Structure formats: structure tokens, C-alpha cells
Amino acid sequence: MKIYTKTGDRGETGLYGAERVPKDHPRVEAYGTVDEANSAIGVARAALGEAHPDVQADLEYVQNALFDLGADLATRYGGPYEKNLARIDAEDVARLEALIDRYQEEAPKFTGFIHPGGHAAAAALHLARTVVRRAERRVVELMHAEEVNAEAMRYLNRLSDLLFTLARVVNQREGFHEERWLVKKRR
């Protein structure tokens, strides 16, 4: 099978279900940004190397779930292939919440806004978090135009919280001090 199909050469792509839409369609923007988030998480995992096997395993789970989320967003309700996929659900959101709670126990006490950075893997997790936030905005935009799985939105919201928490944990484990935002004083 060739990697190129030439079917998108005119600025259209196929949703799951074979319907063709422009490549800048809000649905494509939503699942495309989820794909970007997945890649950003891959960069964070590469920066982790073999350190932190628990974080690696949890991020691997997240990357698999993001493929499910992408399929969810690429499939319209009532479409012919909807029966072939498992949509993101409350159980998926609860799993992220459990991970957040577990890692929050280890993270330093949160006392205010911090600069994204520190260890290379933590910085990559912060970048992935911002891509997830953008994906969340793209899903909101899509929700204004079409029916979307509400759990997909909740999943992205929790995922950004998890990535923030993981970045803080990695910095803590690696001995990096968090730099706090120093609010500019009014003159």
C-alpha cells in the first residue's frame, strides 16, 4: 500500500464514513489538532527516555486514547461507520481524573502560575498541554456547527490538567525548581 493516495490534492479529505469535506473544515481542524497533541506527547516521551516508567506507561495509554478520540471526532453521529468505533466516554474521563489525583499527591504544592520549562521532558509536556488546549478550542468551535461527543471535550479538558501535573512531577523528580510568575507591579 502506498502512503500517498492523491485523494487530498484538491484540498479535501475523507471523514470516517467516506464523506468528503474541505481540509479546513472544523471537524478536520478538531481531529487534526488532537493528532498534533499526540505527536507533542510523543516528543515528551522521547525526552523522558527510559526514566519515569510510570509516566511513560500512562502517556502511552493517553496516546492510544487520542487515536480513539481522533476517530470519534472524525466520525459524525449517525454515519455508516459509527458502529465500528468506541467513542470516548465517562470512564475514559474518570481514568484521567484518577491519574491526576495520583500524580497530584507527588507534585509540589501549587502556589500560583509557573513558567513552562525545567527538564526537557517537562517542557515538552507543557507544550503538549498547550496543544491539547488548542484542540479543546477546536472542539468547541466544532460544537457550534455540529453534534459532538460531549465526553470528548471533557477528556481534553482533563488531559491538559494531567499534562500540567505530569510536567510538575517530572521537574520535581529531576530536581528542577519551578519558576513562578512574578506579577508586574503597577506603577
Side-chain angles (χ1 to χ4, degrees), residues 44-90:
R45 289 186 66 201
L48 278 171
E50 294 186 22
H52 316 289
D54 56 338
V55 175
Q56 280 282 12
D58 291 329
L59 289 175
E60 181 181 9
Y61 153 74
V62 166
Q63 285 190 292
N64 281 307
L66 287 178
F67 277 116
D68 293 333
L69 177 57
D72 185 333
L73 293 170
T75 308
R76 286 193 164 123
Y77 278 98
Y81 293 102
E82 184 178 16
K83 65 184 179 299
N84 298 339
L85 70 114
R87 293 201 184 269
I88 294 295
D89 60 23

Side-chain angles (χ1 to χ4, degrees), residues 6-54:
K6 301 181 183 181
T7 60
D9 289 352
R10 293 187 174 185
E12 290 186 344
T13 192
L15 298 178
Y16 190 51
E19 179 185 353
R20 305 293 294 173
V21 296
K23 287 187 175 184
D24 62 353
H25 187 280
R27 189 167 289 280
V28 177
E29 282 288 334
Y31 72 71
T33 308
V34 168
D35 187 36
E36 289 178 46
N38 205 341
S39 294
I41 291 169
V43 170
R45 289 186 66 201
L48 278 171
E50 294 186 22
H52 316 289
D54 56 338

